Amino acid sequence: MKFSILTSCFNCGPYVAEAIESYLGQTYLNKELVIVDDCSTDNSWDIISSYASKNTNIIAVRNNQRLYCSGSYNVALKMATGEFCGILDSDDVLLSNAMEKVAKYYIDNPTLAYIYTQFFWCNDKLKFLKLGISGAPAAHSSQVDCCLRWKHSFSHWRTFRTKCRDSKELFPPGLKYGVDKVLGFNLEEVGSGGFVNIPLYKYRFHKSNMTHYAIEDQKKSILKYAAQRKKERREQNIKVYRVNVL
């Protein structure tokens, strides 16, 4: 089964090569990388296109206008041809066995729509700082409930079955903040999820990262979206599926 990695890039010239190298170094061989450059003004596109010219399983696209993170992931998702998809941010890296481990969980758990894992929180040089904040929501809770308490659960590494795109628009266009959290909200309305408490991803915390410089704007936007989604679920009787600890 093929595994598609989706990456959106905007001005990540100092880091994007490491992200791509972590994809190339995966022990899982049946794979593709779909990477979308969102009108970068640095050397990101030069780096991306150079890798794509040398690797037939890297599909590189450059937007004609800024679509931001959600729009760029939509472009990548439409082009994905694998049975599974995983999100790799352009300034982060995957551990070498990340795809192989998660693919096995999908094969062993055919009813799961999405799977996410634990991660390592690192500095700008990818040196370990602390363990990540991923986890499964408590019983009778949801990703939306967790966000409303500002307690994160759905985080790196995020993967899902590609067929989920047929059930719901996973990346609403125009979102500048909270794209990752909204993906979780959408997936838990599609089917059951799985959480693997094994770090398979290195998250890079640096000054250009929105977590560093725009945390308050992010928080305000995410809380507003989560409250709206909670209201819609109540009014429309939308079913929310559980997350299983694997």
Side-chain angles (χ1 to χ4, degrees):
M1 292 184 172
K2 184 185 285 188
F3 209 132
S4 299
I5 299 297
L6 313 181
T7 298
S8 168
C9 179
F10 176 71
N11 286 355
C12 273
Y15 310 118
V16 69
E18 286 183 277
I20 296 172
E21 288 288 348
S22 78
Y23 157 78
L24 291 172
Q26 290 298 300
T27 57
Y28 195 83
L29 300 180
N30 191 4
K31 63 184 186 259
E32 69 179 3
L33 170 64
V34 186
I35 183 165
V36 178
D37 180 79
D38 195 28
C39 300
S40 292
T41 56
D42 66 358
N43 65 336
S44 294
W45 178 244
D46 293 336
I47 296 168
I48 292 167
S49 57
S50 176
Y51 272 100
S53 68
K54 300 170 187 173
N55 297 274
T56 57
N57 60 0
I58 295 179
I59 303 162
V61 180
R62 194 175 200 193
N63 293 334
N64 293 323
Q65 61 183 38
R66 285 293 308 275
L67 298 180
Y68 298 97
C69 191
S70 61
S72 295
Y73 276 125
N74 261 328
V75 171
L77 180 54
K78 288 175 183 176
M79 300 182 71
T81 62
E83 284 78 14
F84 318 123
C85 285
I87 303 298
L88 172 60
D89 290 344
S90 55
D91 50 358
D92 297 337
V93 302
L94 294 170
L95 271 65
S96 62
N97 63 343
M99 295 170 69
E100 184 176 2
K101 283 271 191 184
V102 170
K104 187 176 187 310
Y105 279 108
Y106 275 117
I107 293 167
D108 292 344
N109 299 273
T111 63
L112 294 184
Y114 65 103
I115 294 173
Y116 60 105
T117 77
Q118 192 56 269
F119 66 98
F120 291 122
W121 192 297
C122 303
N123 67 10
D124 61 330
K125 305 296 184 185
L126 287 180
K127 299 298 183 183
F128 173 80
L129 295 177
K130 61 182 179 179
L131 197 60
I133 53 177
S134 296
H140 310 297
S141 185
S142 67
Q143 310 287 0
V144 166
D145 294 327
C146 289
C147 280
L148 287 172
R149 297 193 302 271
W150 203 238
K151 177 179 174 58
H152 300 289
S153 59
F154 181 71
S155 196
H156 311 288
W157 181 38
R158 305 174 179 93
T159 75
F160 53 91
R161 293 187 189 273
T162 310
K163 65 181 181 182
C164 290
R165 66 187 174 190
D166 301 328
S167 303
K168 185 178 284 288
E169 185 176 48
L170 300 181
F171 301 101
L175 279 181
K176 293 184 180 180
Y177 302 121
V179 176
D180 50 354
K181 301 299 182 292
V182 173
L183 172 62
F185 299 167
N186 288 329
L187 287 171
E188 68 179 353
E189 294 176 5
V190 172
S192 298
F195 169 62
V196 179
N197 196 19
I198 301 173
L200 295 174
Y201 188 104
K202 288 185 177 181
Y203 169 78
R204 191 194 308 260
F205 183 71
H206 57 92
K207 290 184 178 180
S208 299
N209 191 294
M210 280 198 295
T211 304
H212 182 95
Y213 72 82
I215 186 63
E216 289 305 317
D217 288 339
Q218 284 192 81
K219 184 174 182 179
K220 187 183 301 182
S221 175
I222 293 168
L223 288 175
K224 180 179 179 181
Y225 199 100
Q228 177 186 337
R229 183 61 69 90
K230 178 124 181 146
K231 182 177 181 226
E232 290 172 353
R233 288 177 176 179
R234 184 175 60 251
E235 292 176 348
Q236 300 174 31
N237 196 29
I238 297 173
K239 181 177 179 179
V240 177
Y241 294 83
R242 292 285 307 278
V243 172
N244 307 275
V245 178
L246 303 177

